[in-house]
Amino acid sequence: MPKPVTIRDNPSSHHITLQVNGLETTLRVPPWVSLLDALRDHLDLTGTKKGCDHGQCGACTVICDGDRILSCLTLAVMKDGARVTTIEGIGTEDRLHPLQQAFIDYDAFQCGYCTPGQICSGVAMLDAGHGESREEVKDLMSGNLCRCGANTNIIDAIMAVKEGKYE
Amino acid sequence: MNNFNYTKAESIDQAVSAVATQSEGQFIAGGTNLIDLWKYDLTHPEMLVDLNGLSELKAISELPDGGLRLGALVSNNATAYHPLVQERYPLLSRTILAGATAQIRNSATNGGNLLQRTRCYYFYDAASPCNKRNPGSGCPAITGHNRLHAILGESEHCIAVYPSDMSVALAALEATVRVTGPEGAREIPIADFHRLPGAEPARDNTLGAGELITSIDLPSTGFADHHSYLKLRDRNSYAFALVSVATGLEIEGGRIRNARIALGGVAHKPWRVPAAEAILVDKAPTPEAFAEAADLLLAGATGYGHNDFKIELARRAIIRNGMMALDPSTQRPGAQPSL
Amino acid sequence: MNEHEQIGQPRRRIEGARKVTGQAKYAAEYNVPDLLYGYIVNSTITRGRITAIDEAAARSVAGVVEIFHHERRSKLPGFDVIYSDMDAPPGSPFRPLYDANIRFNGQPIALVVAETFEAARYAASLLNIHYEEESFDVDLLTNLARARKPSKGLATLIKPLPPGPRGDFETAYAQADARFEGHFHHGSQHHNPLELFATTTVYEGDGKLTIYDKTQGTTNSQLYVSNLFGLSFRDVRVIAPFVGGGFGSGLRPQYQLVLCVMAALQLRRNVRVVMDRAQMFTFGHRPETIQHTRFGATADGKLTAINHVALAETSRFEDYNEVVVNHANMLYPADNVALDYKLVPLDRFTPLDMRAPGGSTGMLAIETTMDQLADQLGIDPLEFRLRNYAERDVSADKPYSSKELRECYRQGAERFGWSERKPTAEVNRRGNRLVGHGMSSGIWDVIALPGKASAEFTADGKLIVSSAVTDNGQGTYTVMTQIAADELGLPLEAVSFQYGDSRHPLSPIQGGSYTTAVIGSAIKAACRALRSKLFKLAQIMDGFPLGDALPEDVRFVDGAIVLKKDPFIRVSLTDVIAFNHGKSVTASKSNIPNIFRLKQYTRAAHAASFVEVEVDEQLGIINVTRAVTAVAAGAIMNPHTARSQILGGMVWGISMALHEETLLDVNLGKYINTDLGEYHLPVHADIHDLDVIFVEEHDDVINELGAKGIGEIGVISMAPAIVNAVYNATGKLVQVFPIKVGDLL
């Protein structure tokens, strides 16, 4: 559950409403605040990670109106009225999403920093029905870098869910 | 990363006039390139006009002449996965899917894709000299690291390349870019949309001040039977092309009736040479025929050291992709070479 | 329950659920109240001095609180020794914001602090710095004449300089039947953990600080900050429970820590400073290195002569060294050997250990050279290595404490199907692609260091073990919990490992593959001391339930002390605590390695990698289609997480061979691909089938766990195996790494 929003106000701030993980959230943000910084600094949803802030690593992936996008290359004001799902909304420690469980079982992470982005990306890909073969899944997941080198375990976890092993 | 004002456009006209009346007004659509450039302190908008509410720019619709209109605000992914695009313009679909990543393609729009700026290292470093960013300051790429850089159509002022994949397919398909500006609407053939750097490398394209792309129109010929996009890069995905080739062929009775070949990653714009396509007509689609076309496409190509390999690589890629186009099922995710 | 219910078992990561749900908090994610945000400004020149800093425009941005730079900073000490951290190489450590001098491009020169991140970032871009530029030299290749021996210091004790010559190399090389001379080069590489370096400093008042830092050593950061700012060691607490990758980059405190603490102390506020990705390229890195090898062998495949010389970059102010050339003669017992390792000081920042430092560089040259000799001699590369197998380390004239490399070769080759490899002269085609097979040996020296841990058995029946050590993703948290659980015969759920906090017993920085051995042994020692205390209490409990049993007569099983000869006689540990008036029992222990015993042996982990590549014949595009790495690293604590460590190492090897390199513009004096778009890490589409084998290896010399460590060994054999496979496929030997598109045309 997001904490109450505390915003350092600015005359050019805009009122926006985001549906974050199913919760209607109203913010006042200046236009130059990225969706990523709004989530992390303003809504205390720090599960979404900042790895490069330039759209080059995928750690900040969130699901916006059903599509996976990079929250670092999105201004919060552009998403007024949108539905945003972050890793906190995918599942909780008590009720893990199948892909989260698969990530644990397949040891699909080490340091854990790219993990929320990988999972949001994987969930959105599976929901969209994209990626028929393992080769295609690898291509469609290539927007999420993993520096620890958990690549094969990540793809194994996704394929396991895709193949119905977690139903 | 300066502060700026922000407004949501309510109509095309209002968007155009909002940008026209602001000294540093800019349109924002997907934002995937603009926000990146802004964060690197390379662009300094004072007002961003958000186009995302303009639903009239968000459609893909059939044209009376059998072509297809791609709204400027349709996302790259929505375009690539659109049934009509997949069925009639599979070359475009595959080319789009070889670009960037799923996340970026979900945000990035068709109009924005045309306006991507170069990925030259020096352009991206605000502290380095760069004629494109800071005219007259010099081009360190010519004597520095130029692995990514142009082998064709470059100038002594700039050897940057234009990074879009989508535009390479649009060039092969001979798309038309429709724009609206303070002076009204006009159409620009894709071949005339991007420009070579010449003495004015700061200008990437021929769009006038305050002009807004409204759609990209595809003519009816889609090369659905014989086409291929091949993208060669430093990793199998999430990297810009060192060399890419979009090929479309129409074949009758074992002979090429119509051919299009466009190169990416080699110049300041998608590279086409009509003579190279003409020479293929009435020939059987063989490696030798594509080699002849390659020689014409690459005539006058120059390397700057690190990018010398591109000349030979491009030649081989043209030949390979010609053969891949005969059987589009040989194409692989990420436009990797056929197995 | 046997004694090893946990050790050696494939346990899932204890923190897994927190990591997959976004609940694991990293250094920049503590949203404490009234937080200020700092943004760092870096030098845009390579060498010279700052003549003026114009703050006016920056200060005009709403929300800016303060700007720190060399003329506006708190007092900093003037002695090098105070800036020395636990991993400082010999020399004069860099001092952030100390003076106007610029020593490298990207040097941090100012910190802008504001009420919001965005205001700090914007104002930082407006800070107008005036410089006086001086000429610089950043180019290794044109400065080789200045190469010199590294200075000696603590670093050269842990990472020894090459041994002196043996035999007569020149004569032996001249007389060899087969000779190969290699010239190898790789550029700088940057660690680029996905988490950006970050510090959140909580100003607690009374000179007390709580610091959330991205680091591989909480104690190291604590020491460094206390020294720099004259704070009492006790008043500085550094916390790092989750670290988003380190790979060596966190072995030294990075400059955001200094700037963040300076601002917090000066402003008496909570402050966060996060680097941006470009700033991640402005500190330590794997050094650009040039290597020259000349190996000679007899016609029947006996290596007789080894010459290996490496020349590496370092900064003008510190001598960073690594072990690059020592391994050829450890692995292959030639009698005529000449090794040399030199540094070239340049106007670049000091390099820093990066995953498999030295070993991954040196073995790339050694193992590529070996394959070239094998090819000349017409001997299978694996057979050639077997003919030169070192049963004993002739370079140091010592036995190995254990060495199952032969078994790595055997099991790896079998799993891979090495016998199907074709000689390089034969073309092996698969569709449009040429297929090549390559292999390589790997070796990593086992480092022994002292460590400390404490253990506490609580009234509610829990075991709490503690160490200041971090877990950057290696699995330390889980593995230490397993080790402690076994020692007291408890289930994992009854054990809590407290770590990543400088309040806990001192730990060395987490690197060099030694953490499991060092901290694991300390935890074992602490738990043993705790057992002894619990047993002593049990002995005197009412009714003397254990009779006259001695410590060796009991086992700790299922939370109880049980008589070995009569398992029905047992005292539960919670009863022991009750007898102790409900007070928990604690023990703290240091583990000091027996250096005298250890020094009698060469101690190393080994590996062998077998790799298949496909190279598009026409286009030269390379894919590593499958690979097997067999590892002999002593006892494996947790095969689940250990396998991941090796897989990660293999991906690093692929990256080193085919992808990553920081491009240096020698004219501008700076790295120019300082982002993850152009600094190419492999993506999922580049990584295909990878397989790991752990070869059984028993070693009772190295430490009582018998564990050698696995952080680096997975990297080392992979890149040379790829280079050899590419050669096998194409007949082309590339000696400048990474191998790039275009190199095989």
Side-chain angles (χ1 to χ4, degrees), chain B residues 33-280:
Chain B
N33 196 198
L34 174 56
I35 293 172
D36 187 37
L37 293 165
W38 165 72
K39 282 186 183 176
Y40 276 122
D41 214 14
L42 305 178
T43 186
H44 308 93
E46 283 175 13
M47 163 68 87
L48 288 185
V49 178
D50 187 344
L51 305 172
N52 284 291
L54 304 180
S55 53
E56 61 267 47
L57 302 183
K58 285 188 169 170
I60 290 182
S61 51
E62 294 190 76
L63 293 169
D65 65 353
L68 200 63
R69 172 160 295 168
L70 310 175
L73 272 183
V74 182
S75 78
N76 288 173
N77 255 354
T79 305
Y81 290 121
H82 193 281
L84 286 176
V85 176
Q86 287 188 316
E87 184 196 324
R88 283 157 55 179
Y89 305 94
L91 171 62
L92 179 63
S93 175
R94 286 189 172 273
T95 302
I96 291 172
L97 293 178
T101 69
Q103 289 95 315
I104 293 170
R105 295 192 299 266
N106 275 330
S107 293
T109 62
N110 294 332
N113 193 302
L114 295 185
L115 302 177
Q116 280 187 79
R117 306 221 64 193
T118 183
R119 295 283 163 170
C120 171
Y121 319 110
Y122 303 96
F123 172 76
Y124 253 84
D125 173 26
S128 288
C130 170
N131 286 329
K132 185 180 269 298
R133 191 170 20 77
N134 186 10
S137 61
C139 174
I142 291 172
T143 51
H145 284 276
N146 46 47
R147 175 173 175 72
L148 304 176
H149 292 73
I151 52 171
L152 288 162
E154 75 284 6
S155 76
E156 60 183 311
H157 304 287
C158 181
I159 60 170
V161 298
Y162 169 61
S164 161
D165 290 293
M166 182 182 182
S167 296
V168 181
L170 293 177
L173 292 168
E174 295 192 340
T176 299
V177 184
R178 293 173 68 245
V179 306
T180 294
E183 315 292 319
R186 65 183 179 120
E187 296 190 346
I188 311 171
I190 187 79
D192 300 332
F193 185 82
H194 297 102
R195 60 183 294 283
L196 294 178
E200 274 187 289
R203 288 183 59 214
D204 294 346
N205 52 56
T206 56
L207 212 54
E211 280 189 322
L212 173 69
I213 300 171
T214 53
S215 78
I216 299 164
D217 288 2
L218 302 175
S220 59
T221 305
F223 303 96
D225 292 338
H226 301 293
H227 67 270
S228 179
Y229 187 63
L230 174 63
K231 183 175 181 183
L232 304 173
R233 37 182 162 175
D234 281 327
R235 55 186 179 190
N236 286 337
S237 187
Y238 212 172
F240 294 96
L242 294 164
V243 166
S244 71
V245 192
T247 304
L249 302 172
E250 285 183 313
I251 296 175
E252 272 175 44
R255 301 268 154 190
I256 298 171
R257 291 288 164 245
N258 183 13
R260 304 272 176 77
I261 304 176
L263 302 180
V266 295
H268 202 257
K269 61 184 289 186
W271 193 257
R272 268 184 77 197
V273 173
E277 295 167 3
I279 204 172
L280 288 169

Side-chain angles (χ1 to χ4, degrees), chain A residues 1-165:
Chain A
M1 284 271 269
K3 291 178 185 171
V5 180
T6 54
I7 303 249
R8 289 149 291 272
D9 210 349
N10 187 287
S12 18
S13 290
H14 292 238
H15 263 295
I16 62 166
T17 304
L18 299 173
Q19 181 86 225
V20 183
N21 299 328
L23 217 69
E24 188 152 301
T25 311
T26 305
L27 293 175
R28 242 180 97 73
V29 277
W32 50 84
V33 174
S34 70
L35 178 60
L36 173 61
D37 291 325
L39 292 170
R40 283 169 65 85
D41 292 351
H42 298 187
L43 299 176
D44 200 28
L45 290 169
T46 55
T48 306
K49 303 304 181 197
K50 184 183 280 191
C52 72
D53 215 17
H54 287 280
Q56 297 168 339
C57 76
C60 69
T61 302
V62 298
I63 303 173
C64 190
D65 293 329
D67 290 331
R68 46 180 164 158
I69 64 162
L70 297 178
S71 58
C72 78
L73 292 186
T74 308
L75 300 173
V77 287
M78 293 166 66
K79 293 300 170 189
D80 188 12
R83 272 181 302 121
V84 179
T85 304
T86 69
I87 188 68
E88 291 91 344
I90 299 279
T92 60
E93 288 184 54
D94 304 332
R95 289 177 67 114
L96 294 173
H97 182 282
L99 189 58
Q100 291 172 317
Q101 185 61 52
F103 263 59
I104 296 173
D105 296 344
Y106 285 84
D107 209 32
F109 53 88
Q110 293 176 37
C111 79
Y113 201 77
C114 75
T115 313
Q118 302 273 4
I119 291 174
C120 284
S121 192
V123 166
M125 180 191 66
L126 292 169
D127 288 352
H130 293 154
E132 284 179 12
S133 61
R134 187 179 174 98
E135 191 188 21
E136 254 184 88
V137 167
K138 284 201 284 190
D139 180 60
L140 291 173
M141 284 300 297
S142 283
N144 293 85
L145 302 182
C146 171
R147 183 50 154 166
C148 295
N151 307 73
T152 53
N153 291 350
I154 291 167
I155 302 300
D156 284 347
I158 293 170
M159 293 309 288
V161 172
K162 192 176 169 57
E163 287 159 9
K165 290 187 185 148

Side-chain angles (χ1 to χ4, degrees), chain C residues 204-285:
Chain C
E204 309 273 15
D206 300 333
K208 288 189 170 61
L209 301 176
T210 301
I211 301 170
Y212 300 95
D213 191 33
K214 176 176 174 68
T215 177
Q216 290 174 249
T218 55
T219 316
N220 197 23
S221 293
Q222 177 195 29
L223 257 166
Y224 182 72
V225 162
S226 311
N227 286 342
L228 251 61
F229 296 100
L231 301 169
S232 154
F233 200 58
R234 289 167 172 280
D235 290 343
V236 177
R237 180 182 182 192
V238 177
I239 304 176
F242 294 103
V243 182
F247 316 111
S249 59
L251 291 173
R252 301 188 73 180
Q254 295 307 351
Y255 59 77
Q256 94 289 343
L257 171 66
V258 180
L259 303 190
C260 184
V261 170
M262 180 186 287
L265 286 171
Q266 195 86 3
L267 302 171
R268 298 168 178 267
R269 293 274 302 268
N270 303 332
V271 181
R272 174 186 300 158
V273 179
V274 185
M275 286 194 194
D276 63 29
R277 183 51 66 179
Q279 287 164 345
M280 297 288 284
F281 290 81
T282 58
F283 52 88
H285 51 275

Side-chain angles (χ1 to χ4, degrees), chain C residues 649-672:
Chain C
M650 293 170 79
V651 171
W652 272 64
I654 292 171
S655 189
M656 191 168 182
L658 302 178
H659 298 289
E660 67 185 275
E661 179 183 25
T662 322
L663 299 174
L664 179 76
D665 187 304
V666 296
N667 304 317
L668 300 175
K670 59 160 56 162
Y671 296 113
I672 50 152

Side-chain angles (χ1 to χ4, degrees), chain B residues 141 143-148 303-310, chain C residues 663 741:
Chain B
T143 51
H145 284 276
N146 46 47
R147 175 173 175 72
L148 304 176
Y304 287 83
H306 298 107
N307 68 348
D308 291 350
F309 72 96
K310 281 190 176 185
Chain C
L663 299 174
V741 173

